């Protein structure tokens, strides 16, 4: 049980680190594109993340997870400071067997929340 819990914690940390890396690339993209976020991950490839780093950042750390395990959540920019900690801008797509997913809020905070697809 201890080993399994450690493995799960390690995967959660990996997904949060990946989400954070994607957020930073999206923010760089927005600064170069009149405050607009990318609408597709491929818009980050090359200039904001190398193709390999982008693939690695998008890949699910969970067994059975997707090759593109994160999605950009459309939102209005700029996000008001008063609500930036409640607006999700990136969210993980984890297998239903995983109880939590990583999300990034507009203020850059990365958290784990309940996986809506969890069984």
């Amino acid at each position: 049980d201890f080993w399994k819990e450690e493995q799960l914690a390690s995967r959660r940390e990996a997904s949060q680190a990946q989400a954070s890396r994607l957020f930073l690339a999206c923010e760089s993209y927005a600064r170069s594109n009149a405050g607009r976020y990318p609408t597709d991950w491929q818009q980050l490839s090359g200039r904001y993340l190398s193709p390999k780093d982008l693939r690695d950042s998008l890949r699910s750390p969970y067994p059975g997870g997707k090759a593109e395990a994160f999605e950009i959540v459309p939102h209005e920019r700029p996000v008001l400071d008063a609500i930036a900690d409640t607006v999700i801008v990136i969210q993980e797509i984890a297998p239903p067997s995983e109880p939590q997913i990583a999300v990034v809020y507009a203020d850059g905070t990365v958290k784990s929340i309940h996986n809506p697809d969890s069984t």
Side-chain angles (χ1 to χ4, degrees):
D1 281 345
F2 175 77
W3 180 81
K4 192 174 184 177
E5 285 298 318
E6 284 295 313
Q7 194 174 38
L8 182 58
S10 176
R11 289 181 182 136
R12 277 195 195 125
E13 286 177 25
S15 70
Q16 288 184 351
Q18 289 167 238
S20 182
R21 189 175 316 122
L22 291 167
F23 174 77
L24 293 175
C26 286
E27 286 295 310
S28 293
Y29 177 95
R31 281 192 293 278
S32 300
N33 290 279
R36 290 187 309 274
Y37 251 42
T39 55
D40 181 87
W41 290 120
Q42 292 310 310
Q43 293 173 308
L44 299 177
S45 186
R47 184 171 179 191
Y48 304 98
L49 286 171
S50 73
K52 180 188 181 322
D53 285 343
L54 180 60
R55 275 191 314 275
D56 291 347
S57 295
L58 289 172
R59 186 173 295 121
S60 177
Y62 301 106
K66 297 182 175 192
E68 193 168 292
F70 291 88
E71 63 184 350
I72 300 168
V73 179
H75 65 287
E76 294 296 320
R77 284 187 58 91
V79 176
L80 299 174
D81 288 340
I83 61 169
D85 62 343
T86 63
V87 176
I88 294 175
V89 297
I90 296 173
Q91 94 177 9
E92 182 178 20
I93 305 164
S97 59
E98 299 305 322
Q100 295 183 330
I101 60 170
V103 296
V104 184
Y105 294 93
D107 67 355
T109 303
V110 181
K111 293 184 180 179
S112 290
I113 64 170
H114 173 74
N115 181 358
D117 297 329
S118 180
T119 53

